[in-house]
Each structure stands twice: as structure tokens, then as C-alpha cells.
Amino acid sequence: MHASTRPIWLADGRLVFGLSDPPPSQGELNLWSLRVDPRSGAPSGTPRRITQWQGVQFVAPTGVSADGKHLTVVVASYQSDCYTGRIAGGDSLLQNVTRLTLDDRFDVGPCWLPDGKSILFASNRNGTADVFKQAIGAPEAEPLVMGPGNQGGPLVTPDGARILYVDTPGAALGSDPPHGAVQGTRLPRLRVISLPGGAVHEVRLDRPMNILNITWTADGRGWLVIDQHRGVEWNLRKIDLDGKSTPQLPAQMWMYSAAVSPDGQHVAFTSNTGSESVWLLDNF
């Protein structure tokens, strides 16, 4: 199924709209036109691609000049990168937050290796999702798993001897929040089951949350969660066993996942950056 943006109707009988590209680039959009019969409203002919842009995640026509020769278009692109930061004490935010991945594609789902010196993540820098390894402070990543389809969600065994990942021909990386987001958890409570015995302990949170990602802290005394608020901002919060939440970062635009280093001193997380501009097209 293709994603599309709201069309505008031109005086010459054409509809102009944004439409997602075919796989494996369905996370990107380009501008298309379709001629429509003015009397019946039925399509006449086949859609025609107007632009050949790459790396654009949103495009939508906004207006046309009175003479019909100029079209204004909103173009937006965004990317996701892996960052790391040091956990501070008390109610402090993360310290020394640094962008690790320096390319211009989607890098998501960081997972620490047991030595705490490198992370694994999924990236679509080769067109489809593959798994990469990058040492903290290194300028480039090393490919670990490559191939057709999408490979993502890497998890490492505690001894570092094995890596689990998901291999799927699913949607393009970056089109939707990846890696099994826990959707719709708005009730302010968590439940912990003790093993053995199965005793249940309920944790009442101090605020409503929509938890997209949750992971234990290294000491087992709480959690890091990604909380989506009002659908427009994402927050990284630390929660203790009593349900008290403490922000770890200022609100972000699009945050997917977070992971605590084995020594409990650092966090790797994924966040998006974006840009938006207005273009004027001729000869469309």
C-alpha cells in the first residue's frame, strides 16, 4: 500500500499529490500527477511521476500560481541517529550526550556489547535494513549482517558469543517506529513478577505515560522508558521501583529505543532530526 499526501486540483484537470515510492524505498515520497475527467471525476490515463528526489520522506503541493505555471511544494526529510550519554546521579539529565552515527540515513535500535565499548544497531544506509557494529567514538560502523530484506532488532547474549536479529521483508526502515514498540500503555502502572514464586508487585507511576520502549537499568532497581506525549514529543525517563519518574533528556522529536550499558553508566538511544523547506516548481 502506498502512502499519499493531500492533492491539489489544477485548472488543466490534473491532480497533483505526493506518493510513496515502490519497495524497497517505500519510506520516501515523490510528486505525481493524474489527469481526471472534469465531468465524471474518473481518472484518465495513468499517474505520471513529476520528481525524482531521493531521501525525501514527505512532499505535498500547497498551491499553484494564477497562470498555472508555478507550483509550491513543501518538502521534508528526516533521519534517525544513535546517541550515547552518561547517566548522572539524582535528578540530573544525561551528561556528555554525543551523536555516534554520522551518516544521513536511519540508524535505530542500539544494543550494547557486553564490554560496553561498542553498540549494534540497524541501518538502512544500504537501501534496506542491515545490522552494524560501531565502537564508541569511532567515525564509521562495521557491517555485521547484510542481505536482501530487512535485518534489525539486534540482541546480544550476556557472554557476547551470539547475536539475535530479526530478518523480515517488511516495511522500509524509517516508515514507522521499529522494533516492537509497546503501543497504547497509558495507565500509570507497571507490574513486576518475581521468580520463583510468581508474586506480583504493582508499580504506580507518578504520571500518565504512553510507553513505546522500556528496559531495565543495569542495577535492576528501575527502568528507562521512552514516553510519547501528545503525539508530538518523545521523552526519555528513568523510573524507580516506587514509580517516581525523572527526565533524562529534553523532549525530542521521534525517539525509538534506549539501552543501558552493561556497567550501568551510559545510555544509547535513537532520536530523529529533520528539515523542512518550500520549493517552487516549473514545467511540471
Side-chain angles (χ1 to χ4, degrees):
M1 180 180 294
H2 286 276
S4 60
T5 58
R6 180 178 298 178
I8 64 171
W9 207 317
L10 304 183
D12 62 7
R14 288 182 296 159
L15 286 178
V16 177
F17 50 92
L19 185 68
S20 60
D21 291 346
S25 301
Q26 60 264 46
E28 302 178 353
L29 274 71
N30 269 280
L31 208 61
W32 293 70
S33 69
L34 176 64
R35 192 165 297 279
V36 176
D37 189 312
R39 292 171 296 180
S40 66
S44 175
T46 58
R48 182 178 70 88
R49 183 169 176 161
I50 297 176
T51 61
Q52 298 287 336
W53 292 326
Q54 294 182 336
V56 173
Q57 283 77 38
F58 179 84
V59 57
T62 58
V64 63
S65 62
D67 60 8
K69 296 182 178 180
H70 309 284
L71 183 70
T72 54
V73 181
V74 171
V75 177
S77 59
Y78 53 92
Q79 69 183 63
S80 184
D81 285 291
C82 295
Y83 295 77
T84 61
R86 182 174 59 83
I87 296 176
D91 294 342
S92 300
L93 300 178
L94 292 181
Q95 304 296 311
N96 302 326
V97 175
T98 303
R99 177 179 166 185
L100 178 64
T101 54
L102 303 177
D103 61 310
D104 59 359
R105 303 296 285 178
F106 275 86
D107 304 321
V108 299
C111 170
W112 291 89
L113 291 177
D115 62 7
K117 297 179 180 179
S118 302
I119 66 170
L120 304 181
F121 60 93
S123 175
N124 68 346
R125 60 185 65 186
N126 292 330
T128 58
D130 297 311
V131 177
F132 291 80
K133 171 186 174 182
Q134 187 162 350
I136 303 303
E140 297 182 356
E142 169 191 349
L144 283 186
V145 180
M146 302 176 65
N150 292 312
Q151 293 82 38
L155 294 175
V156 186
T157 55
D159 61 4
R162 291 171 292 173
I163 297 172
L164 172 71
Y165 66 93
V166 178
D167 191 341
T168 175
L173 188 62
S175 58
D176 291 298
H179 309 313
V182 182
Q183 300 288 348
T185 307
R186 294 186 181 277
L187 295 177
R189 64 185 64 185
L190 298 172
R191 290 187 175 92
V192 182
I193 300 177
S194 298
L195 298 175
V200 178
H201 173 65
E202 185 174 283
V203 179
R204 292 184 176 270
L205 305 182
D206 61 3
R207 67 181 65 219
M209 294 187 192
N210 183 28
I211 298 176
L212 301 183
N213 175 264
I214 184 169
T215 184
W216 284 93
T217 56
D219 60 9
R221 297 179 180 178
W223 305 271
L224 283 179
V225 303
I226 293 176
D227 168 31
Q228 185 185 23
H229 184 56
R230 296 194 306 245
V232 295
E233 64 183 43
W234 283 252
N235 298 278
L236 180 66
R237 304 185 190 276
K238 181 170 63 177
I239 300 175
D240 64 22
L241 295 177
D242 294 325
K244 178 187 176 183
S245 63
T246 304
Q248 298 293 286
L249 288 169
Q252 304 286 307
M253 181 184 72
W254 289 103
M255 183 182 291
Y256 295 137
S257 52
V260 182
S261 62
D263 63 5
Q265 300 300 308
H266 296 82
V267 174
F269 63 93
T270 302
S271 185
N272 274 13
T273 55
S275 63
E276 185 173 301
S277 57
V278 177
W279 292 63
L280 185 66
L281 296 185
D282 299 328
N283 302 317
F284 55 91

